[in-house]
Amino acid sequence: MGHAVNPDKKYEQLQQYLDLTVTGAPASPTLMKILKLLFNEEEASYAVNLPLSPKSLGHISRKTGIEIERLDEVVTRMAEKGLVIDLDYKNRRFVMLAPIIIGFFEFTFMRHREDAPMKELAELFEQYMKNEGDLAHSVFQGQTQIGRSLVREEALTDYSEILDWERASKLIESANLLSVGLCACRHHHSHLGDACERPQRTCLSLNYGAAALIKSGIAEEIDTKEAMDILQQCKEAGLAQTGDNVQRNPTYICNCCGCCCGMMQGIRTFNLKNAIVSSNYIMEIDLDSCIGCGKCAKACPVEAIEIREKIGENGKKKRWAVRDEELCLGCGVCYNYCKKGSISMKSRASRVFTPETVFDKTIAMAIERGRLAPLIFDDPTKLSHRALGRIVSALENTSLYKATMAIEPLRSVFFNNMVKGAKAISGGVDKAVS
């Protein structure tokens, strides 16, 4: 008697594995259809053996028992399809499975493709990301987010107050490599037939993020001048700049519109006001000069401005703009649309927390979402003391409840090894000073 085979099993396992990433992948029949279009059965089988954080190809081969030549062949093909992140570092190849966000959704739509059913994928992603809503709540839960708003530098009166990592121009000028691809969100909507008319060749990748996308053919390398020209073009088109939520070695700058951007749709559609971390600035309105023309309200990508009016004692109508302090991203797009000079960008009362590196951001997100264990469980004994120290530091600065929830799944392996490592370090220090 033959055994029944469940052809969906591989894809169910892949969905469950992707749901361990810090941004998640909630189960849905729609997601299953997406996975079947993007991953063939062999790739789905390989995907669940790939790490969720970068590991060398040799390490993956030893851990899985897959011959490195075969692994190299499959991983290369998957990287070209945008299903894995493929990095070169110090003459070694590092690979990780791409999450959905920021990952294979963007890598699918950052270029024109004839090898994939783009319209069908666009419709399925729209259903999964917007109509169903579980993914948005998974991605944007917590306080630490994948993106942060970058203020328009020209809207500031005192440049000495703004730090280099808050300035889109400085992020571009200091990057060691730059690339550009299509805006995944507007390209996605173009296949739905409802994209806005803003330019699409606007998605800037920086540093090792650019290196990975160039290597896989997802984006094209550009120089600093072209990147600055794209930035200026995007500002003139009324697009808001959203950067990687880190201080050092950011990997991207998005140029976002409120109508197509997935992050901004998280704010506008699902009322997830923290989906994009605000800049350290906020819009301020001079009520004496504001005439309530409404141009700023129309330009605001997250609808944080409304126009109010009343009839004064003299019988004349008075109109003025009012911004929602909780919703304002501090992007400064509104500044460029005010012809009366009534809008300025002022420093917020307290500075917004920005993680130092992608590592710190990812750890903070994992702790907040209860997903620290899957992130490091691949081999916790091989975490460096420096990495362990940064994880412990993040836990120390997290509420007791969240820290406890994050540590609990790690007790059997990670936490015990962390204690052993701490004892080893302590012993070494004791011997050194004695």
Side-chain angles (χ1 to χ4, degrees):
M1 184 175 180
H3 295 284
V5 177
N6 179 3
D8 290 339
K9 188 66 176 178
K10 288 187 176 74
Y11 295 98
E12 290 171 357
Q13 292 174 336
L14 177 54
Q15 176 273 315
Q16 292 166 5
Y17 191 50
L18 285 165
D19 201 30
L20 298 177
T21 62
V22 293
T23 48
S28 163
T30 307
L31 177 59
M32 293 292 286
K33 293 177 183 177
I34 292 171
L35 296 179
K36 288 178 182 179
L37 287 175
L38 291 177
F39 296 78
N40 63 36
E41 288 192 20
E42 180 188 36
E43 291 163 349
S45 298
Y46 273 77
V48 295
N49 288 295
L50 298 177
L52 302 181
S53 57
K55 296 289 188 297
S56 71
L57 210 61
H59 169 87
I60 300 169
S61 176
R62 291 189 297 272
K63 189 173 186 300
T64 61
I66 302 171
E67 291 185 3
I68 196 164
E69 292 80 8
R70 181 59 181 155
L71 189 62
D72 175 85
E73 179 185 339
V74 176
V75 164
T76 297
R77 185 175 74 233
M78 292 175 71
E80 291 171 350
K81 293 173 68 175
L83 305 177
V84 303
I85 297 172
D86 189 4
L87 301 162
D88 291 322
Y89 180 69
K90 293 185 177 179
N91 297 318
R92 296 176 69 195
R93 187 180 185 185
F94 289 79
V95 172
M96 63 176 281
L97 180 64
I100 297 179
I101 307 290
I102 288 175
F104 61 75
F105 165 73
E106 286 80 8
F107 304 154
T108 296
F109 289 100
M110 280 181 68
R111 55 191 162 154
H112 295 292
R113 293 182 61 177
E114 305 222 346
D115 63 330
M118 299 298 282
K119 187 175 189 300
E120 184 178 1
L121 281 167
E123 291 169 347
L124 289 169
F125 270 113
E126 181 74 356
Q127 173 67 24
Y128 184 56
M129 295 168 64
K130 184 175 179 181
N131 297 342
E132 295 179 11
D134 288 347
L135 180 64
H137 286 90
S138 176
V139 172
F140 301 122
Q141 62 180 302
Q143 293 300 308
T144 308
Q145 302 296 350
I146 52 180
R148 63 185 172 93
S149 184
L150 299 171
V151 67
R152 294 282 176 104
E153 299 163 47
E154 59 270 26
L156 302 179
T157 55
D158 187 354
Y159 277 84
S160 65
E161 293 181 2
I162 187 169
L163 302 173
D164 283 353
W165 51 266
E166 298 178 289
R167 303 173 63 176
S169 63
K170 287 295 183 182
L171 298 183
I172 291 172
E173 290 170 357
S174 61
N176 58 45
L177 188 64
L178 294 158
S179 71
V180 66
L182 300 179
C183 168
C185 297
R186 285 190 288 282
H187 185 209
H188 166 223
H189 277 272
S190 70
H191 287 285
L192 300 175
D194 60 1
C196 66
E197 296 181 355
R198 273 100 165 199
Q200 289 193 17
R201 189 175 174 271
T202 59
C203 187
L204 299 173
S205 299
L206 295 74
N207 304 309
Y208 65 89
L213 296 186
I214 293 168
K215 178 182 180 182
S216 299
I218 297 170
E220 60 179 297
E221 183 175 354
I222 57 174
D223 59 22
T224 302
K225 181 183 181 304
E226 185 171 1
M228 291 295 289
D229 289 343
I230 291 171
L231 177 63
Q232 183 58 36
Q233 176 193 25
C234 290
K235 288 183 175 182
E236 292 172 359
L239 299 173
Q241 284 65 58
T242 306
D244 197 354
N245 187 24
V246 298
Q247 298 181 32
R248 291 197 293 112
N249 291 324
T251 58
Y252 68 87
I253 297 176
C254 292
N255 291 284
C256 305
C257 58
C259 50
C260 301
C261 171
M263 286 188 279
M264 291 188 175
Q265 284 300 315
I267 299 172
R268 295 175 59 153
T269 303
F270 301 107
N271 197 34
L272 298 169
K273 295 183 178 181
N274 193 44
I276 300 173
V277 178
S278 71
S279 76
N280 283 302
Y281 299 86
I282 191 166
M283 171 207 193
E284 190 167 279
I285 303 161
D286 178 8
L287 296 178
D288 291 334
S289 60
C290 177
I291 61 172
C293 67
K295 292 179 180 178
C296 60
K298 185 177 180 180
C300 179
V302 292
E303 301 177 333
I305 306 170
E306 65 171 310
I307 303 300
R308 295 180 184 172
E309 63 178 51
K310 68 176 182 179
I311 304 298
E313 294 179 359
N314 58 4
K316 292 185 178 180
K317 184 185 293 184
K318 168 65 177 174
R319 289 167 54 90
W320 70 99
V322 177
R323 59 107 169 94
D324 183 329
E325 184 172 351
E326 188 179 4
L327 196 54
C328 177
L329 292 176
C331 63
V333 169
C334 55
Y335 171 84
N336 293 89
Y337 285 83
C338 181
K339 305 307 180 185
K340 293 290 185 179
S342 304
I343 291 177
S344 58
M345 302 302 295
K346 300 297 183 183
S347 296
R348 292 181 184 266
S350 57
R351 292 192 66 80
V352 178
F353 169 71
T354 303
E356 185 177 355
T357 67
V358 169
F359 179 94
D360 298 306
K361 176 186 72 173
T362 306
I363 291 298
M365 291 178 69
I367 291 171
E368 292 174 1
R369 292 154 172 79
R371 291 183 169 127
L372 184 58
L375 184 67
I376 62 174
F377 212 78
D378 177 66
D379 194 348
T381 63
K382 293 191 176 181
L383 282 171
S384 68
H385 294 321
R386 182 182 178 191
L388 287 170
R390 288 163 78 174
I391 294 170
V392 171
S393 176
L395 288 168
E396 287 175 344
N397 289 285
T398 303
S399 70
L400 179 60
Y401 171 76
K402 288 183 178 178
T404 302
M405 293 297 289
I407 290 174
E408 188 61 35
L410 309 178
R411 288 191 183 279
S412 61
V413 178
F414 169 68
F415 195 66
N416 289 339
N417 279 285
M418 188 165 65
V419 172
K420 289 179 184 178
K423 287 181 178 178
I425 296 171
S426 177
V429 171
D430 289 344
K431 291 177 182 179
V433 298
S434 60

